[in-house]
Amino acid sequence: MYQPAITGSGVFTPSEVITNDELVVAFNAYAEAFNAQNAEAIAAGEVEAKAPSSSEFILGASGIEQRYVMDKSGVLDPAVMHPNLRQRSDDEPGIMAEMAVDACAKALAQAGRRADEVDLVICAASNHERAYPAIAIEIQQLLGAGGFAFDMNVACSSATFGIQAAADMIRAGSVRRALVVNPEICSGHLEWRDRDCHFIFGDVCTAVLIERAEDAMGAHFVIRSTRCVTQFSNNIRNNNGFLRRNRPDGMADRRDMQFMQEGRKVFKEVLPMVSAHILDHLASDGVTADDLRRLWLHQANKTMNDFIGKKVLGRVAEPGEQPNILQDYANTSSAGSIIAFSKCSDDLAPGDRGLICSFGAGYSVGSVLVERA
């Protein structure tokens, strides 16, 4: 049995930014046009008028101030309200693979490794741009990695589930070095015309390199243990899929073909589940909350993270103890906790312990207990 360790991490950040103010201008223009077009039906009580959004509402509801996206022109066009991504030929790299190569290159550089030393690539993300061939195999080819590759989808928990899968294979000796990469184009499945959620998501790609601790060439994080759990719920859902065209009205502009969430139910059910999961994980390893230097949580909502941090630590987290990056990146699904880890981990000293945790649709929760070495 070998000891797995995270030896490198990388983040690809899109070049385009949408601030809350920009988003509100676009949404309110759409809402005003909708209300004008449906004025008679609204007056008759047949259609509900669209309420305006505001930057104050967005910040108070989520803690988000801006988000990075692959394309802002379409999102900010009231007549479009979704990203405009060009059609690529089958001979070109896919957009998710292109993002992934950048993040993987940064993780490899941090670890001092070459791509041809990698023998496993897992593309773990909440959405994939095609069913097959696997995005992971395309990334493998573009990088020049060896071994094998596969895709994984556990929604917002995909990164931690991918880390567990890779760590288990390294521990067992079936692979020596693995890249777990999380390309998330969340702007593509968000309904930007829905006031309740139009501000939630952004785009990004993260990657971590996992290898045997004995092979590490510099400072690294030993993976002490991992834990995953799932419990079925419909409260976070996207009904899009390959059977869509085969069903009545399957190709209609249906709201449930984008991100759907029963926010209040998710808040009520997920927070106790995540808090209990983390505390059980720590207890099973003989670790107390006081032993943790850092919590890198899924970046969905500041209030949710504050609740979980207080429940796990038994107090309000001190500055830097539970870093939030969603004010800049928004919710980036599976990549959020890895962004926080990548950007807020260099200051830890040998022996310091921390926990990466992601949670979301499923419901699913994954946690990774690490120690600086």
Side-chain angles (χ1 to χ4, degrees):
M1 301 290 284
Y2 299 94
Q3 175 63 63
I6 298 173
T7 59
S9 64
V11 180
F12 164 79
T13 302
S15 60
E16 300 191 11
V17 178
I18 299 177
T19 66
N20 285 351
D21 287 347
E22 289 178 299
L23 192 62
V24 166
V25 168
F27 177 85
N28 287 350
Y30 159 74
E32 184 177 342
F34 176 91
N35 291 341
Q37 292 167 5
N38 295 276
E40 291 186 9
I42 292 171
E46 299 169 356
V47 174
E48 185 175 351
K50 300 284 186 185
S53 187
S54 72
S55 295
E56 294 75 20
F57 161 68
I58 294 172
L59 185 61
S62 64
I64 296 168
E65 297 177 10
Q66 63 169 45
R67 69 282 301 144
Y68 294 94
V69 293
M70 297 302 288
D71 172 74
K72 66 187 290 184
S73 64
V75 173
L76 297 182
D77 184 343
V80 179
M81 303 294 278
H82 61 71
N84 286 319
L85 304 176
R86 70 175 180 85
Q87 181 67 49
R88 300 186 178 210
S89 74
D90 290 347
D91 295 327
E92 291 180 275
I95 188 170
M96 292 181 72
E98 197 168 73
M99 298 165 69
V101 167
D102 182 280
C104 289
K106 291 171 180 171
L108 288 165
Q110 187 180 87
R113 290 295 180 186
R114 303 185 314 272
D116 61 8
E117 296 177 285
V118 173
D119 50 1
L120 169 63
V121 177
I122 301 176
C123 179
S126 59
N127 291 277
H128 298 269
E129 62 179 302
R130 62 173 180 267
Y132 45 80
I135 311 300
I137 302 176
E138 183 180 14
I139 297 167
Q140 175 195 24
Q141 181 188 43
L142 292 171
L143 288 171
F148 63 103
F150 61 88
D151 290 346
M152 173 186 287
N153 182 347
V154 201
C156 291
S157 298
S158 296
T160 48
F161 277 61
I163 290 172
Q164 171 165 306
D168 285 349
M169 282 186 266
I170 288 169
R171 190 176 286 111
S174 58
V175 301
R176 189 166 196 130
R177 201 161 287 115
L179 279 166
V180 179
V181 58
N182 323 107
E184 294 287 7
I185 308 181
C186 301
S187 61
H189 74 99
L190 177 60
E191 179 50 272
W192 296 92
R193 300 172 296 183
D194 186 334
R195 180 180 180 273
D196 289 340
C197 70
H198 77 109
F199 53 86
I200 291 179
F201 288 113
D203 302 335
V204 78
C205 183
T206 54
V208 294
L209 181 69
I210 305 172
E211 56 185 319
R212 298 175 186 178
E214 65 190 56
D215 292 342
M217 300 177 68
H220 55 279
F221 284 88
V222 172
I223 298 175
R224 289 300 180 196
S225 63
T226 59
R227 175 174 289 197
C228 297
V229 68
T230 55
Q231 174 185 312
F232 185 74
S233 170
N234 272 323
N235 289 329
I236 309 174
R237 191 178 184 96
N238 182 329
N239 283 328
N240 203 1
F242 80 100
L243 292 178
R244 181 177 180 180
R245 70 172 184 175
N246 302 287
R247 293 169 174 158
D249 297 322
M251 301 308 291
D253 182 15
R254 289 167 45 193
R255 176 65 186 87
D256 67 339
M257 293 301 172
Q258 285 85 40
F259 167 78
M260 295 282 292
Q261 175 177 258
E262 296 290 340
R264 290 180 178 83
K265 290 182 180 179
V266 171
F267 216 90
K268 182 180 179 180
E269 296 170 5
V270 167
L271 295 187
M273 181 180 177
V274 174
S275 303
H277 173 92
I278 294 174
L279 289 169
D280 287 347
H281 186 177
L282 295 177
S284 68
D285 274 45
V287 176
T288 68
D290 291 338
D291 295 326
L292 291 181
R293 269 292 308 278
R294 195 144 299 161
L295 277 172
W296 299 284
L297 297 176
H298 171 50
Q299 303 289 308
N301 180 289
K302 185 179 184 300
T303 302
M304 294 179 77
N305 282 6
D306 289 347
F307 178 97
I308 294 167
K310 186 175 181 180
K311 194 75 173 178
V312 170
L313 299 173
R315 54 177 172 77
V316 175
E318 297 177 1
E321 209 171 14
Q322 179 198 296
N324 284 326
I325 53 84
L326 61 83
Q327 66 275 6
D328 298 320
Y329 281 86
N331 183 342
T332 51
S333 194
S334 69
S337 59
I338 307 302
I339 303 172
F341 171 78
S342 183
K343 291 184 176 292
C344 306
S345 58
D346 287 346
D347 61 317
L348 268 62
D352 285 346
R353 281 174 282 193
L355 184 129
I356 305 168
C357 181
S358 56
F359 48 89
Y363 298 131
S364 57
V365 187
S367 52
V368 182
L369 183 62
V370 298
E371 180 178 328
R372 184 72 164 184

